[in-house]
Structure formats: structure tokens, C-alpha cells
Amino acid sequence: KAGVTQTPRYLIKTRGQQVTLSCSPISGHRSVSWYQQTPGQGLQFLFEYFSETQRNKGNFPGRFSGRQFSNSRSEMNVSTLELGDSALYLCASSTGPEYNEQFFGPGTRLTVL
Amino acid sequence: GDSVTQMEGPVTLSEEAFLTINCTYTATGYPSLFWYVQYPGEGLQLLLKATKADDKGSNKGFEATYRKETTSFHLEKGSVQVSDSAVYFCALSDRGGANSKLTFGKGITLSVRP
């Protein structure tokens, strides 16, 4: 069974640009969550989607947004990039609303110059 | 709000040494507790979990017991190997299905030398 895949794995952008990251969950998983990992703040929850609906959102500015498609694939978008957005963005999938084990992808390393 | 506190790191041990990594939590409800491991350049892997008080999670020689009275979930291994070198995260999640968000501790880097 294929794991969670994230594309691209590495990305370099400049301040002010926008970026879209993609996550494909494990087949059959309908819940996708996103996390930001930085050396200073550690792992922080961004948002969770289930059945194309955002169920939960972390404490991030509106520049961070996401969506989920009918095939459960998810994208997150960051607009007007800032230097502080440089981070590893991790996607995790689980089977559904009742919490079960979350399976993480390898992450997308975003560098903002 | 919910929070997880891990002991300060990094930790360096010799192979076959005993490992303890402390983790305490604060939560309003009855959370599920987890240990995740992150190897260099990779995402997180679930190491073990416990969903209710007094449960013991175990995997690959690692163990942790959900202690409600001390709000702790310390990770232990009797004999570490070089391959255990990684970053370890303690995490919690509210139960009940309404919130599957994971709250993580800061993580601790473990280095095991031959």
C-alpha cells in the first residue's frame, strides 16, 4: 500500500510570491491534516480536511489556506510569502473523523529567500 | 489549551544503554497519547500509542505507559541501538472524533554511539 506522498519535495521561492503544495493520502483515507515544522516553533497544526470540508484550523494567518478534492487529495497554499514561512510542511492522513493513527508524508521543504 | 512538555535535549547514549525520555502533558479532556520518531530527511513515523489511562504502548523494544495521575507518558527502551538515533516527539490528540489535531512537544534528538 503506497504511503502518503507530497509534492514537490523541495521548493525555493522569494518573498511576496505564493506557493501551492500537494498531498496525496493513503488510498482509502479521507482525512488530511497539515503541519508546519520549524526549528523555533516545532510542529504546529495548520488545518484538517475531511470530505472536502475544513474541520479544524490552527492559529495561522489567512495567508495560509487549503482545500481537499473529491479524491481526498489536498493542497495547501501560502500567499505573499515571508521569510518566516521557510519550513518543512508535513501532511498526514487518517481514515476519518474518529481519530485513528495519522500517517505522515516525507514533507515539502520550503525555502523563502 | 492542550500542551506537551518534553525533557530538554539532545541525548547521547552508548549502544545498549537504557533510554528514558520524559513527557508530560496538559489537556482538558482525556487525550490519546503518542510517540513519533523522525529520522533524518524523513517525515514522522508513529512509534507507539496509548488511548486510555494505564494503557501501555510498545513497539520495536520501546514502551510508554499512560499515567493519568502524573499526566505523563515517558518513553523507555532497555537497550538502544545505533539505528535508534533520531528525533523523538511526544504528542497528544483529543479523543471523541471532534478534533483529531495533534499537539506535539518540542522533540528531542537522540544520538547513539557504537
Side-chain angles (χ1 to χ4, degrees):
Chain A
K1 201 174 194 181
V4 177
T5 57
Q6 293 187 244
T7 56
R9 291 293 310 277
Y10 302 91
L11 207 48
I12 299 175
K13 292 286 187 179
T14 56
R15 280 182 300 174
Q17 288 187 309
Q18 76 166 17
V19 67
T20 299
L21 312 181
S22 181
C23 171
S24 292
I26 291 171
S27 178
H29 285 193
R30 297 170 62 196
S31 175
V32 173
S33 299
W34 289 89
Y35 295 83
Q36 181 196 64
Q37 185 178 21
T38 59
Q41 299 299 316
L43 281 152
Q44 294 185 286
F45 173 79
L46 280 156
F47 24 66
E48 180 202 0
Y49 287 88
F50 175 76
S51 292
E52 302 177 64
T53 301
Q54 187 181 87
R55 296 183 62 241
N56 201 1
K57 189 177 190 304
N59 189 24
F60 278 81
R63 300 185 297 106
F64 291 81
S65 63
R67 59 178 176 168
Q68 187 181 32
F69 302 95
S70 59
N71 61 358
S72 295
R73 191 177 69 85
S74 177
E75 289 181 348
M76 67 164 282
N77 183 276
V78 188
S79 62
T80 319
L81 284 166
E82 300 176 0
L83 295 180
D85 296 333
S86 294
L88 180 66
Y89 290 88
L90 293 165
C91 167
S93 75
S94 64
T95 51
E98 291 184 15
Y99 181 81
N100 288 301
E101 178 177 338
Q102 288 198 15
F103 295 83
F104 282 81
T108 293
R109 172 73 63 185
L110 171 65
T111 302
V112 182
L113 302 176
Chain B
D2 296 344
S3 67
V4 175
T5 302
Q6 290 184 235
M7 60 184 278
E8 296 283 329
V11 172
T12 302
L13 296 173
S14 296
E15 204 165 26
E16 299 184 3
F18 183 84
L19 169 71
T20 298
I21 301 177
N22 289 342
C23 170
T24 57
Y25 67 90
T26 302
T28 52
Y30 298 93
S32 293
L33 301 174
F34 308 86
W35 277 100
Y36 280 87
V37 59
Q38 186 175 35
Y39 298 100
E42 298 184 14
L44 300 175
Q45 298 177 25
L46 178 66
L47 183 58
L48 52 84
K49 66 179 181 182
T51 58
K52 62 183 187 297
D54 299 326
D55 269 2
K56 178 187 282 188
S58 61
N59 186 27
K60 299 180 182 179
F62 291 90
E63 293 184 340
T65 301
Y66 190 143
R67 301 286 188 201
K68 185 167 175 288
E69 63 277 11
T70 55
T71 61
S72 65
F73 193 54
H74 304 322
L75 182 68
E76 296 182 337
K77 187 175 185 182
S79 176
V80 294
Q81 305 300 312
V82 172
S83 58
D84 294 327
S85 298
V87 182
Y88 292 80
F89 294 91
C90 185
L92 68 80
S93 174
D94 285 346
R95 293 182 357 184
N99 181 3
S100 60
K101 161 192 160 186
L102 285 168
T103 299
F104 288 91
K106 292 288 189 185
I108 186 169
T109 300
L110 170 66
S111 297
V112 181
R113 51 175 185 247

